[in-house]
Amino acid sequence: MTPQKLDTSVRAIKEWLARSVKSLGNHSDRLNAINVFPVADGDTGSNLYLTARAGHDAVSELESDDIGGFLEVAARASMESARGNSGTLFAVFLSGLSEPWIGQERLTAPLLALGLERAKVRSWSALSEPVEGTMLSVINAIALAAGSTLAHIKTDPESRAALDTLLVQMKQAAQLAVKGTETELEPLLEAGVVDAGAVGMLIVIDELCAAVRNDDTDFSSYESFHGYKIQDPHVHKNSEPESGVEVMCTVSLDALGAATLRGQLDALGNSVIMSPVNQLEEDTYRWRVHVHVDEPQPALELIGKYGDPVNVSVTDLCTHDD
């Protein structure tokens, strides 16, 4: 493998999304099996797969040379069709990653580092109560690795060799971050597993690196993760299911309305995620809203006081997937 073989065009981004969908689908059963945090409902793999598929489908026929604009379309579609905590956070990650890339035709090490930093900021700020030992740990680790690598790189930062070096460091950082989740959260430690969302994010990162490097993806190292061997049991079935429902919708709000709604949703439920989908006016955005509550009606009534919720979904949290 030589840096000259790197594909830094939209073609690589399209290939990345396609490969991510395929691999998340292939790994969905194992991801579901170890899904015990924040809710042991065994659907992290399914949620990530369906969210990624929505993004890929939106750009499958799109012709563009703009890597950021292309990814932004996929991110927006993923956000509108996001499933669960993991799917929503994945869509936020894509959205943040795309922002500094808009108008660019080639991926470089500085652009990738900038995109990862923006994705990290967007992801952490989207959650009312961000928690280490989750997908956030992987996002944080790759952003830090990219920034550090770029700061100490000896070659031309704009070169393909620099990008290749950054990709290698990203992969290693993501792998270590996933292994770290084994001991960062009590529910994971008790169940003897790594975080399902963190593994899902690792799959996405590994496929990004492979797509750009025109390489095959090697998942053999995943066998070393606690609870991830194919013969390991579905530990989420041994966990006490959480009662209540997951409410998701899209609503148009200005900044003050979004901040106020977030605060009131925090008081009403938990696992609150709010992230802008796209800008409508100078201070008004379409927001994707996610919250876990005991009953859906109070949450929907509360959201309705600030805007007209659309694309509403209500999912029972105590349903265990097989």
Side-chain angles (χ1 to χ4, degrees):
M1 180 68 205
T2 62
Q4 285 69 35
K5 292 184 179 179
L6 264 58
D7 186 350
T8 61
S9 68
V10 166
R11 183 173 56 250
I13 306 303
K14 189 172 187 177
E15 175 69 11
W16 167 41
L17 296 176
R19 293 172 68 144
S20 293
V21 171
K22 181 179 179 180
S23 293
L24 287 170
N26 289 341
H27 285 255
S28 62
D29 182 65
R30 289 315 305 158
L31 294 175
N32 289 344
I34 61 171
N35 172 206
V36 296
F37 183 87
V39 181
D41 50 0
D43 61 1
T44 289
S46 302
N47 287 340
L48 282 170
Y49 163 71
L50 292 169
T51 303
R53 192 178 71 181
H56 169 261
D57 289 351
V59 294
S60 61
E61 302 298 328
L62 179 62
E63 296 294 333
S64 173
D65 293 326
D66 183 342
I67 59 173
F70 184 88
L71 187 57
E72 182 187 36
V73 173
R76 189 179 302 177
S78 293
M79 190 87 74
E80 290 285 14
S81 300
R83 304 288 188 96
N85 296 60
S86 57
T88 304
L89 196 54
F90 168 69
V92 173
F93 172 82
L94 290 184
S95 182
L97 189 65
S98 72
E99 288 177 5
W101 296 5
I102 291 175
Q104 302 294 324
E105 294 186 3
R106 296 287 171 182
L107 184 63
T108 63
L111 262 182
L112 179 53
L114 194 60
L116 291 173
E117 180 62 26
R118 183 59 183 154
K120 181 188 78 173
V121 172
R122 281 284 305 274
S123 299
W124 280 80
S125 61
L127 280 80
S128 291
E129 297 181 357
V131 177
E132 289 275 11
T134 62
M135 293 173 73
L136 290 176
S137 294
V138 178
I139 294 171
N140 191 52
I142 59 177
L144 289 174
S148 177
T149 301
L150 191 62
H152 296 92
I153 208 153
K154 303 299 183 184
T155 57
D156 176 9
E158 299 288 337
S159 68
R160 291 174 180 265
L163 178 58
D164 192 52
T165 300
L166 195 149
L167 292 171
V168 171
Q169 294 302 313
M170 274 175 55
K171 280 172 61 71
Q172 293 177 357
Q175 186 98 10
L176 289 172
V178 171
K179 289 193 72 67
T181 68
E182 295 172 355
T183 56
E184 282 187 89
L185 288 172
E186 191 63 30
L188 302 181
L189 192 59
E190 290 178 358
V193 298
V194 291
D195 181 67
V199 181
M201 181 54 65
L202 175 62
I203 291 169
V204 170
I205 297 306
D206 278 347
E207 289 295 12
L208 171 60
C209 296
V212 174
R213 300 181 84 228
N214 281 301
D215 209 352
D216 293 329
T217 313
D218 182 8
F219 296 111
S220 60
S221 62
Y222 289 32
E223 287 284 305
S224 68
F225 295 149
H226 287 180
Y228 208 73
K229 291 185 178 67
I230 198 68
Q231 66 269 27
D232 288 336
H234 281 237
V235 296
H236 83 272
K237 294 181 179 179
N238 300 322
S239 304
E240 192 68 30
E242 182 174 320
S243 61
V245 295
E246 173 187 76
V247 175
M248 297 189 67
C249 67
T250 304
V251 62
S252 299
L253 300 167
D254 61 19
L256 178 59
T260 306
L261 175 59
R262 181 196 286 271
Q264 295 191 10
L265 286 174
D266 284 335
L268 183 65
N270 56 64
S271 291
V272 176
I273 307 176
M274 287 186 61
S275 182
V277 180
N278 63 291
Q279 188 171 9
L280 298 176
E281 299 172 9
E282 184 177 352
D283 190 40
T284 303
Y285 289 79
R286 292 173 65 252
W287 292 79
R288 192 61 178 164
V289 180
H290 170 284
V291 63
H292 292 174
V293 288
D294 292 332
E295 298 290 340
Q297 205 55 38
L300 291 172
E301 289 176 358
L302 173 60
I303 295 167
K305 290 180 180 179
Y306 293 89
D308 181 22
V310 297
N311 197 10
V312 178
S313 66
V314 177
T315 306
D316 195 338
L317 290 173
C318 66
T319 301
H320 274 176
D321 290 351
D322 290 327

